């Protein structure tokens, strides 16, 4: 079977979309997950766009060993030089340069003639090639470009050393039929097309990104650019999990293989959702809670007799925790460790100890601890560790008074570096009062609330409440997550984590 290269751009196209920004530690955590997922290429960022982006691309380049690491660059000398500086220590570096080829983009955005764009494609690819053998060239807005001109640009880029040629559907405008024909046209028309791998990069504005990418593959593309959970500009990019599972499930239609370890899909998806403070829509293909018939509560006769009547994929193939063993207050560390291993979490002694302590606290509050609770503990622990600010505030205690006939009051005591700080505030409800009391102590920079999300981890009245908060300040977002059977405590913890990050960034 021919191989399809999976090029993941979660950390570049995904991260640059509003509400998805990540700090350095979060990006490294995502890169490690992508390496375990076995994507072929990680586009780690756009090195020239900010010093922070440069640092994250270069740190990921030196951390990741088993994937190609790419940085994006516009087709100009400065961008390419900085991109190379950022990726040069990677085990397998790639420079990904792009220039727009549609009349609209050339005239109104670049203010360049087609001849100038053609020349830039040629000379800048050659410039990048002086540094690096692995060069990707993208013709931005390719699907709205004049085909003959696009073919000339692609030919020039390949002649100058591009080893991958990417055909982006930048505004999500194309259709499957058109994408397939465009790739076929380029492969048949461009004289040196056999010297490069063709790639597709589809946006999802019309909900066609996955279909268009797969059609591109049928037309001869051998690289798909995608993001985990379909994150990305506007309606997002092709979702990695959809493209990979569609090819795996319909091998009769797509006789190709990828090197993706599909059992890492669920975990990677959850880590990324947790970091950016979002949750999978319930009906999101592959990773949404209702994507499996029994999760959606379908108990028809057929499903009960044979799951295949309604399920075309198995949750196990995606690493979705199954099993019904329930742990409780008498379960020891060993039982916890075994169960976590079955759920795919191999923790070191220190992490296991921290989870065990949190597990015991939970056992005092809940009769039984489910797999969903354990997964929440582990992911929130690892996210906390990754995103924690080293000398931030922590909750010591709080006390809240609320009723439907008085103004809510909250007293909060926070600690930092061994010192304790107390404050009390009135509020429009207990959460407002708690956040105001914390603001009195921390005095965070001006910010707005983008998201306050609360949901239960499992069924039952004693379920864990999972709170995610997203604050916005200076165009950047800061997320915090809190987990507790007490939703006030979960909210307070989520808010402290978000404002700690906000303060650290200022
Ligand atoms: O959508 C797009 O055209 C891009 C390119 C920079 C590859 O993201
Ligand atoms: Zn894009």
């Amino acid at each position: 079977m021919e191989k399809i290269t999976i090029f993941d751009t979660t950390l570049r196209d995904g991260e640059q979309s509003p509400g998805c920004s990540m700090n350095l530690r979060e990006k490294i955590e995502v890169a490690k997950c992508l390496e375990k997922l076995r994507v072929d290429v990680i586009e780690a960022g756009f090195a020239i766009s900010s010093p922070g982006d440069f640092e994250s691309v270069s740190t990921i380049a030196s951390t990741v060993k088993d994937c190609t690491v790419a940085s994006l660059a516009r087709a100009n000398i400065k961008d390419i030089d900085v991109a190379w500086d950022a990726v040069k220590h990677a085990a397998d570096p790639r420079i990904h340069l792009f220039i727009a080829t549609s009349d609209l983009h050339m005239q109104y955005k670049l203010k360049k003639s087609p001849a100038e764009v053609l020349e830039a494609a040629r000379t800048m690819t050659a410039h990048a090639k002086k540094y690096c053998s692995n060069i990707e060239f993208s013709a931005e807005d390719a699907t709205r470009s004049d085909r003959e001109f696009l073919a000339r640009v692609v030919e020039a880029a390949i002649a100058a050393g591009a080893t991958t040629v990417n055909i982006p559907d930048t505004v999500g405008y194309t259709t499957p039929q058109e994408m397939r024909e465009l790739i076929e046209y380029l492969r048949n028309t461009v004289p040196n097309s056999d010297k490069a791998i063709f790639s597709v990069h589809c946006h999802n504005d019309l909900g066609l990104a996955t279909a268009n990418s797969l059609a591109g593959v049928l037309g001869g593309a051998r690289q798909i650019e995608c993001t985990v959970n379909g994150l990305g500009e506007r309606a997002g990019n092709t979702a990695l999990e959809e493209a990979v599972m569609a090819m795996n499930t319909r091998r009769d239609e797509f006789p190709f293989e990828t090197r993706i370890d599909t059992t890492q899909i669920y975990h990677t998806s959850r880590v990324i959702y947790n970091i950016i403070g979002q949750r999978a829509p319930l009906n999101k293909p592959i990773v949404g809670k209702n994507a499996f018939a029994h999760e959606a509560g379908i108990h028809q006769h057929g499903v009960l007799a044979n799951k295949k009547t309604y399920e075309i994929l198995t949750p196990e193939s995606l690493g979705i925790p199954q099993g019904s063993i329930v742990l409780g207050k008498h379960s020891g560390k060993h039982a916890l460790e075994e169960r976590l291993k079955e759920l795919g979490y191999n923790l070191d002694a220190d992490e296991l100890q921290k989870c065990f302590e949190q597990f015991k606290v939970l056992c005092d509050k809940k009769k039984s601890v489910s797999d969903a609770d354990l997964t929440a503990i582990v992911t929130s622990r690892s996210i906390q560790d990754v995103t924690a600010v080293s000398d931030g505030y922590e909750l010591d205690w709080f006390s809240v008074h609320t009723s439907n006939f008085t103004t809510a009051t909250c007293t909060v005591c926070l600690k930092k570096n061994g010192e304790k700080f107390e404050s009390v505030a009135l509020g429009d409800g207990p959460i407002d009062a708690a956040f105001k009391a914390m603001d009195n102590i921390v005095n965070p920079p001006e910010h707005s609330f983008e998201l306050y999300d609360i949901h239960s981890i499992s069924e039952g009245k004693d379920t864990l409440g999972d709170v995610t908060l997203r604050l916005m300040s200076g165009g950047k977002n800061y997320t915090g997550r809190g987990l507790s059977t007490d939703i006030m405590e979960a909210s307070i913890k989520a808010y402290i984590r978000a404002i700690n990050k906000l303060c650290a960034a200022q």
Side-chain angles (χ1 to χ4, degrees), residues 372-405:
D373 295 324
L374 291 180
T375 309
I377 289 176
V378 180
T379 55
S380 84
R381 268 235 67 79
S382 70
I383 297 308
Q384 272 166 45
D385 288 349
V386 167
T387 62
V389 170
S390 47
D391 63 345
Y393 287 90
E394 271 179 78
L395 174 65
D396 193 25
W397 56 263
F398 73 94
S399 159
V400 66
H401 180 264
T402 188
S403 75
N404 60 357
F405 57 89

Side-chain angles (χ1 to χ4, degrees), residues 41 99 108 163 190 212 216 222 263 340 348 425 448 452 459 489 492:
V41 186
I99 191 161
Y108 294 102
T163 41
V190 173
N212 289 338
R222 291 293 175 265
T263 64
L340 287 175
D348 65 28
S448 59
Y452 171 86
E459 286 82 35
E489 184 174 7
I492 288 173

Side-chain angles (χ1 to χ4, degrees), residues 7 9 12-13 16 43 46 72-74 96-100 105 109 136-142 166-172 201-203 225 233-234 237:
F7 176 115
T9 182
R12 199 277 296 169
D13 216 329
Q16 78 190 32
E43 185 163 54
F46 188 4
L72 187 66
R74 285 164 298 197
H96 174 195
L97 74 150
F98 75 99
I99 191 161
H105 279 232
K109 191 180 81 174
E136 173 166 336
F137 173 83
S138 282
E140 192 188 6
D141 208 17
N166 183 37
I167 305 301
D169 183 30
T170 303
V171 291
H201 173 114
C202 299
H203 281 267
E225 302 203 352
E233 292 281 11
R234 305 180 310 279
N237 288 62

